[in-house]
Amino acid sequence: QVQLVESGGGSVQAGGSLRLSCVLSRYTYSEYCMGWFRQAPGKEREGVAALDSDANTRYADSVKGRFTISRDNAKNTLYLQMNSLKPEDTAMYYCAARDRWADLWRLLSPSTYNYWGQGTQVTVSA
């Protein structure tokens, strides 16, 4: 069974930074497509950033230039560096994984993924 465990969430003031981490318990981690999603109360889950097995990346327009997704294959860990945070970034953030190849354009869609973490809360105050 694949498990994803997120960490790094918290409360920060607008303009601040946080780094989220997601550890994937799977040896063939480097073959996975990975993504970060978020869901605010009363809203649908939305894709924030993703990368494929070749480390090609894709970002939501709302976070381009502020968020950076990266992976450390040796540590089976996915990261999301979030800078210049805004109150509208407040949400539960989820890590997701897909154990087969997918087109990059699909990687911000929740339905693309078959494994999910439990989430970590990010709260940005004005």
Side-chain angles (χ1 to χ4, degrees), residues 63-79:
V63 306
K64 282 180 181 177
R66 300 189 298 122
F67 291 10
T68 302
I69 188 172
S70 62
R71 66 196 299 168
D72 184 334
N73 290 339
K75 296 182 179 180
N76 282 10
T77 302
L78 180 75
Y79 301 101

Side-chain angles (χ1 to χ4, degrees), residues 6-72:
E6 302 100 332
S7 62
S11 297
V12 65
Q13 290 189 328
S17 298
L18 286 172
R19 188 176 81 157
L20 306 183
S21 300
C22 171
V23 178
L24 175 65
S25 61
R26 194 71 174 181
Y27 178 73
T28 55
Y29 166 79
S30 62
E31 300 173 4
Y32 282 53
C33 299
M34 304 287 295
W36 287 101
F37 292 78
R38 66 186 182 188
Q39 188 167 18
K43 294 187 177 181
E44 292 186 354
R45 189 168 296 189
E46 64 172 350
V48 174
L51 50 73
D52 63 16
S53 55
D54 294 323
N56 298 303
T57 59
R58 187 176 177 206
Y59 295 92
D61 289 342
S62 59
V63 306
K64 282 180 181 177
R66 300 189 298 122
F67 291 10
T68 302
I69 188 172
S70 62
R71 66 196 299 168
D72 184 334

Side-chain angles (χ1 to χ4, degrees), residues 68-105:
T68 302
I69 188 172
S70 62
R71 66 196 299 168
D72 184 334
N73 290 339
K75 296 182 179 180
N76 282 10
T77 302
L78 180 75
Y79 301 101
L80 184 68
Q81 178 65 44
M82 304 186 295
N83 298 328
S84 302
L85 282 162
K86 304 176 181 180
E88 51 263 44
D89 294 319
T90 295
M92 184 71 76
Y93 282 71
Y94 298 90
C95 172
R98 174 182 170 91
D99 59 1
R100 61 190 69 93
W101 181 86
D103 286 319
L104 190 62
W105 66 269

